[in-house]
Amino acid sequence: MNNRRSSIDLKKLIITISPILIFIFLVPFMHTQVPYHSDLFGNVDGTGSKWILFGIVSVLSFAIYYIYGKKNKQKVVYFLVLTMLTMLNILLLTGAIFKSENLFEGFYLYFSTSYGNQVTFLLFCVSLTMYLFVERIPPNSIIGIRNSVTSKSEIAWKIVHSRSRMQFWFCAMTNLLIFLIPTLSDLAKLIISFAIVIFCWIYILNISYSVSRKLE
């Protein structure tokens, strides 16, 4: 029981610190004065030190930590709030790297002018969705984790999606980081993003076959 609780706490800790680590990695690319507040339409009405933004990102990250602990009770609310907080982090980080008077417009320009940014952000969204709803994907789904193990054994499927959940989170956060790094070329972003996705799927498939051997 204690081992299971420790495992769950470790997962929550990883989810909490991921946006903070991304922020720290992106600090060298940020301007001295960054936006840390805007109105509902994205118009920036507050700028200041990047470390003020660090505090805001940290608060949002711990809010995600709290919501993660409540996810099993209200799945839809969990999905919406987690997505909203994550997108708010993304908008603030994008605004900190690329000066813009409107966070939404700045993000759109950054996203729309680069196919590398479009691919990495799409893979981020897909991975985040898989992380949230992996247990709802049927074993024989052509979109989800489909192989001879999970499609024939319900027990194996439950074990696999439980163990692979954090792989989708890792894939999502890594693609988000790649998306936000302004110095990477489109080709580099494309290659790295697909390499990460392939690595995650191979890892998950390896877990499924490992589970299968143990169940035999």
Side-chain angles (χ1 to χ4, degrees):
M1 182 67 178
N2 291 334
N3 291 336
R4 178 175 175 78
R5 180 174 292 275
S6 298
S7 176
I8 294 175
D9 291 344
L10 178 60
K11 291 178 181 179
K12 291 172 67 176
L13 179 62
I14 292 173
I15 291 172
T16 302
I17 66 174
S18 294
I20 298 174
L21 293 177
I22 290 175
F23 178 94
I24 294 173
F25 190 91
L26 293 172
V27 164
F29 303 109
M30 296 181 184
H31 295 285
T32 304
Q33 295 292 306
V34 301
Y36 63 82
H37 191 271
S38 70
D39 59 24
L40 294 176
F41 301 100
N43 298 310
V44 176
D45 54 17
T47 60
S49 168
K50 63 184 70 175
W51 298 112
I52 296 177
L53 182 57
F54 175 78
I56 295 172
V57 170
S58 299
V59 170
L60 292 176
S61 298
F62 280 99
I64 291 174
Y65 177 96
Y66 175 79
I67 294 167
Y68 180 82
K70 304 294 183 181
K71 70 181 187 303
N72 291 327
K73 295 182 179 180
Q74 294 180 328
K75 190 71 174 182
V76 175
V77 174
Y78 165 63
F79 171 74
L80 292 176
V81 176
L82 178 58
T83 302
M84 181 186 70
L85 292 178
T86 303
M87 286 304 302
L88 180 56
N89 269 332
I90 294 171
L91 289 173
L92 290 172
L93 290 173
T94 306
I97 298 172
F98 302 95
K99 286 185 176 180
S100 176
E101 295 182 357
N102 186 286
L103 295 180
F104 297 127
E105 291 179 359
F107 173 82
Y108 175 75
L109 288 174
Y110 180 60
F111 172 83
S112 62
T113 56
S114 165
Y115 73 83
N117 291 340
Q118 294 167 10
V119 170
T120 51
F121 190 74
L122 175 62
L123 292 176
F124 157 74
C125 292
V126 171
S127 300
L128 182 63
T129 303
M130 292 291 288
Y131 162 78
L132 291 168
F133 294 105
V134 62
E135 76 277 6
R136 296 192 178 186
I137 300 173
N140 60 350
S141 171
I142 60 174
I143 300 177
I145 310 167
R146 183 180 186 181
N147 57 67
S148 60
V149 177
T150 58
S151 62
K152 293 180 180 179
S153 172
E154 184 177 353
I155 296 176
W157 171 244
K158 290 181 179 179
I159 296 174
V160 169
H161 79 61
S162 175
R163 294 184 180 181
S164 62
R165 178 184 292 274
M166 291 307 298
Q167 292 302 311
F168 289 120
W169 179 264
F170 165 78
C171 191
M173 292 300 103
T174 308
N175 274 290
L176 176 59
L177 175 61
I178 295 170
F179 168 76
L180 289 169
I181 297 177
T183 55
L184 286 177
S185 66
D186 286 342
L187 181 60
K189 289 186 176 185
L190 194 67
I191 294 173
I192 296 172
S193 294
F194 277 108
I196 292 169
V197 171
I198 292 171
F199 168 80
C200 287
W201 282 111
I202 292 175
Y203 183 85
I204 292 170
L205 290 173
N206 183 62
I207 290 176
S208 69
Y209 287 106
S210 176
V211 170
S212 176
R213 288 193 296 269
K214 292 179 179 179
L215 291 175
E216 290 177 352

